[in-house]
Every structure is written in C-alpha cells, then in structure tokens.
Amino acid sequence: LQVLSADLQRLNIPLLLLETPTFAETPAALLRLTQEHGCQALHYNREYELNELRRDQRVAELFASAGLETVAHTDQVFAEPGTVLTQTGQFFTVF
C-alpha cells in the first residue's frame, strides 16, 4: 500500500482507506467520503455475492438521490453471470 500510495501521489491522487463498523454502513460512508472530496462519480468493481449485490444497489440508490453517478466495472470474471447462454437463450446444463 505504501508503494501504491507513492505512485498515486505522483499523479496527485490520494489513496484513501475507508473503514466502517458494519457492512450496512458502507453506502452512507462512501457517499460522505465522495461528497467531502467533491467527486462526481464512484467507479467500483462488481461483486456477485448476495450481500455485496445488495450493498452496491444501495450505494447506487444513495448516489442517484444525491445526483452522483456510479459506474460498475467487470474485473473478476470473463463474462458476467447470466450472459453465456445457449442458442435458445437458456443456461447451459451440460459442459
């Protein structure tokens, strides 16, 4: 993290670490941090677990209500879940 922080600092980008006491407090904390720094958008990497999906949906809702953009990026998978289908539009059952 020290090397990353130094590399980012050379680009005038601070490395910020945000901790929240509970998982549920993350969306509001992200919104506060974004507003404190005058950001216009939040870019994040998609996660597919249920709690993470719910968190990300809440973040998107909060940011939209505050007039801020959220942009999700794919990083952990080659193809988004549910996008690889048979010719008839069904999920594959045999691999």
Side-chain angles (χ1 to χ4, degrees), residues 2-92:
Q2 290 175 340
V3 172
L4 176 60
S5 181
D7 289 346
L8 289 172
Q9 195 61 44
R10 284 191 280 281
L11 299 170
N12 199 29
I13 301 171
L15 176 64
L16 303 174
L17 301 177
L18 177 64
E19 291 185 52
T20 57
T22 67
F23 197 76
E25 295 175 61
T26 301
L30 281 172
L31 180 60
R32 281 192 306 275
L33 182 69
T34 302
Q35 291 172 328
E36 288 171 7
H37 289 274
C39 301
Q40 298 172 354
L42 172 71
H43 290 254
Y44 64 96
N45 295 331
R46 282 188 185 94
E47 295 189 66
Y48 303 100
E49 295 81 4
L50 183 59
N51 288 336
E52 287 77 358
L53 287 169
R54 289 178 178 160
R55 176 204 58 210
D56 294 348
Q57 181 60 40
R58 182 65 183 135
V59 168
E61 291 167 358
L62 279 176
F63 275 59
S65 69
L68 299 169
E69 182 182 9
T70 56
V71 182
H73 299 276
T74 301
D75 77 328
Q76 298 178 24
V77 295
F78 178 73
E80 292 284 326
T83 60
V84 178
L85 305 172
T86 65
Q87 290 180 353
T88 61
Q90 302 298 313
F91 293 106
F92 282 92

